[in-house]
Amino acid sequence: MIFGKQDTHVPRAGRDLIRKVLEDANVACSFLEVQAQHAFIRDESSKGRWDAALTRSLFGLMMDLFEKIGRDLGSPEALGAVEHVC
């Protein structure tokens, strides 16, 4: 999940709650907060929030994640328990 820290639609308390609920439910996910406003990825300058450089960077991160999921994890049924290795 990616949130903008200056997002007035999902304030910090809301982001904290979302993170807590996901963690408490043991949902496997990443939670990323960036220096951006609400809709920074899709507004295309209509409200001055769109950040092309950040969008491009995060799109690359998303594509890397999708590639990793398909390559390393396979089907969800094949995951089983995650081994803790230090």
Side-chain angles (χ1 to χ4, degrees), residues 1 3 10 12-23 31:
M1 304 194 86
F3 290 94
V10 186
R12 182 176 181 174
R15 296 189 308 270
D16 290 346
L17 177 61
I18 292 167
R19 183 188 342 244
K20 181 182 180 335
V21 168
L22 291 170
E23 287 177 355
F31 197 94

Side-chain angles (χ1 to χ4, degrees), residues 8-68:
T8 57
H9 295 261
V10 186
R12 182 176 181 174
R15 296 189 308 270
D16 290 346
L17 177 61
I18 292 167
R19 183 188 342 244
K20 181 182 180 335
V21 168
L22 291 170
E23 287 177 355
D24 289 351
N26 292 317
V27 173
C29 69
S30 295
F31 197 94
L32 179 63
E33 293 179 292
V34 297
Q35 296 298 329
Q37 297 180 35
H38 179 78
F40 69 93
I41 259 175
R42 65 169 173 80
D43 261 5
E44 299 176 0
S45 299
S46 66
K47 297 178 182 168
R49 301 182 292 200
W50 188 50
D51 186 325
L54 184 56
T55 298
R56 187 171 32 257
S57 175
L58 293 172
F59 185 78
L61 182 70
M62 179 185 68
M63 295 306 290
D64 290 345
L65 176 65
F66 288 160
E67 181 181 324
K68 179 179 173 47

